[in-house]
Amino acid sequence: MINFFQPYAEYGGEWLPVLLDAMLKTTLLSISAFALAVVFGLLLWFCQASSAPSLRHFASLYVTVVRGVPLLAVLFLLYFGLPGIGVTFDAFTAAMLGLALCFAAQVAEVFRAGMMAIPKGQREAALAVGFTPGQCFAFIILPQVVRVVLSPMIVTFVSLLKDSSLASLITVDELVLTGRAMATEYFLPLQIYIAVGLCYFLVAWPFSLLSRRLAVR
Amino acid sequence: MNSLDPFLIILQGLLRGAGITAVVTFSALALGLALGFALSLFRQFSPSKLLHGLIDVYVEFFRNIPALSHLFILYFGLASLGFRLSSMGAAILGLGLIGAAVTCDIFRSGFKSLSPGQTEAALATGFTPLQTIFTILTPQAMRIALPSLGNFAVQLLKDTSVVSAIAAPEIMFYARSMVTSSFQTTLIYATAAGLYLVMSLPLMQAVRMLEIRYGRVK
């Protein structure tokens, strides 16, 4: 046991700034990918709710494909595959785009479920008292949907944060890739990968607690 | 030679990994379901606060840390202690342990959604507590849990792609090694993606049928 903890005492000072830096990168990647996923997810949700059959078919095909294809395959296609047909992204952009494309389906599903929780009468009543459909959506429906979707959205963010670790496999220097580099440098894979795991835990756990607290209400 | 040939060669190469993908998925699923069910029983029905705390810690740790990180700890980390797991062993163990945390939550929400009257009535009519749990509560909780368990299985199938990072020879592993020798990168990864899609479609269809049957879809 002494042997296990000793490297932390010895190298902790060197590891900490490097890990914090990588944590920042992971967080940055996750937040920007999540923001993009919300935008894509909302677009997808509008397609699903649209009255045009072609848009609805597109949305349902999109959701099926995204649910059936692993994120890793999407990331490899975007980063290694697309240059073959002349489209090149840097690793960070490819990771952000891949995560956003995959999580858009989940975001759309969260919004759909949230929308279903709002009784139809709300809209009918708002229209009856003279709100325009746009006003009705913005002032009556949306504020309520946001309250319902907040907790599942945070759960989605935590999944995205964890899946951002796959970006290490397309050379984004986030937590896992930084951990790998450190593991080869110090030959202490157990201690380093546990430290990396704890870094994720420190970011993800507060969000998990928050989502549970919000869900109870 | 026709234009389909490169595609068929790639597909053939990737199919070598499909068996391992299936083995890892089913083994991890079995481990996750068995362990997760046991954990949910202890968490829900044991009176020990200590045990509740331990299970909560287990679940939080496995649910808030990425699979890749767990796999590296099991595969590279334990090896440094002289505890060498094969890449398949580490893959199944890692995904299974994570799966147990996920299914523990799924089973628990199944148990929690049952009305307490069920337990009271069973005990009042003379069932022992164990009989109550296994013959009255578990079948009902299972029904509620089934659609979520199905979704978990679909997710697990996709997550097995991650174990290529610890060199388990599944679909993604072959895809990556073929890329280094043939340079048909786009076609290879697109075919791999398609292969996963084809494998998950029947599972997704099964989930949809479960959802309709057990009334989650209105």
Side-chain angles (χ1 to χ4, degrees), chain B residues 27-111:
Chain B
S27 315
L29 187 63
L31 178 61
L33 286 177
L35 187 58
F37 181 59
L39 288 176
S40 76
L41 286 180
F42 283 115
R43 181 64 183 78
Q44 195 67 16
F45 300 113
S46 114
S48 158
K49 281 265 176 339
L50 176 69
L51 202 54
H52 288 187
L54 287 176
I55 293 173
D56 286 347
V57 169
Y58 176 90
V59 170
E60 293 299 330
F61 263 91
F62 277 94
R63 295 206 72 168
N64 285 300
I65 294 176
L68 200 54
S69 195
H70 286 301
L71 290 173
F72 282 176
I73 291 172
L74 286 173
Y75 187 64
F76 298 116
L78 289 188
S80 73
L81 292 183
F83 209 76
R84 279 208 72 92
L85 289 167
S86 69
S87 58
M88 283 281 283
I92 292 168
L93 189 63
L95 293 178
L97 291 176
I98 297 168
V102 176
T103 58
C104 174
D105 274 355
I106 295 176
F107 284 123
R108 267 192 75 198
S109 62
F111 281 120

Side-chain angles (χ1 to χ4, degrees), chain B residues 23 36 70 107 135 159 174 178 186 204:
Chain B
V23 169
H70 286 301
F107 284 123
T135 62
D159 282 352
Y174 281 110
M178 279 160 75
T186 318
M204 283 157 67

Side-chain angles (χ1 to χ4, degrees), chain B residues 103-149:
Chain B
T103 58
C104 174
D105 274 355
I106 295 176
F107 284 123
R108 267 192 75 198
S109 62
F111 281 120
K112 276 195 282 196
S113 65
L114 302 178
S115 106
Q118 298 273 347
T119 315
E120 289 157 13
L123 293 176
T125 51
F127 282 87
T128 66
L130 278 183
Q131 279 176 330
T132 306
I133 291 174
F134 286 109
T135 62
I136 308 289
L137 300 179
T138 301
Q140 300 185 68
M142 268 319 168
R143 266 176 71 128
I144 296 164
L146 262 178
S148 306
L149 291 176

